[in-house]
């Protein structure tokens, strides 16, 4: 079985994930809570441009090239 990580996150989705990830980390740091570590997930998915939660549903926010 071949595993292929095709880009499924578009520009706007990527910017939202970066913003939310940074906010979650900042709130976790401010509250001195380990929950801030959860903010790493949206940052990683934005960095790689691939979200594993989108795959089973066939969702893609990438622009299609014509």
């Amino acid at each position: 079985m071949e595993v292929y990580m095709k880009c499924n996150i578009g520009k706007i989705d990527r910017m939202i994930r970066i913003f939310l990830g940074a906010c979650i980390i900042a709130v976790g740091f401010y509250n001195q809570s380990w929950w801030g570590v959860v903010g790493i997930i949206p940052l990683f998915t934005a960095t790689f441009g691939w979200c594993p939660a989108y795959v089973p549903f066939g969702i893609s926010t990438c622009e299609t090239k014509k």
Side-chain angles (χ1 to χ4, degrees):
M1 183 173 146
E2 183 178 331
V3 177
Y4 181 64
M5 291 177 31
K6 183 180 176 186
C7 178
N8 62 4
I9 297 177
K11 272 186 189 178
I12 295 173
D13 194 0
R14 205 174 269 207
M15 289 187 296
I16 291 169
R17 288 171 186 263
I18 290 170
F19 177 75
L20 288 177
C23 287
I24 293 169
I25 291 171
V27 169
F29 183 74
Y30 179 77
N31 291 326
Q32 297 179 352
S33 169
W34 282 101
W35 280 102
V37 176
V38 173
I40 292 173
I41 296 169
L43 288 179
F44 276 148
T45 57
T47 301
F48 294 114
W50 182 74
C51 179
Y54 281 3
V55 174
F57 303 106
I59 299 172
S60 177
T61 59
C62 282
E63 298 173 359
T64 56
K65 296 179 182 178
K66 294 182 179 180

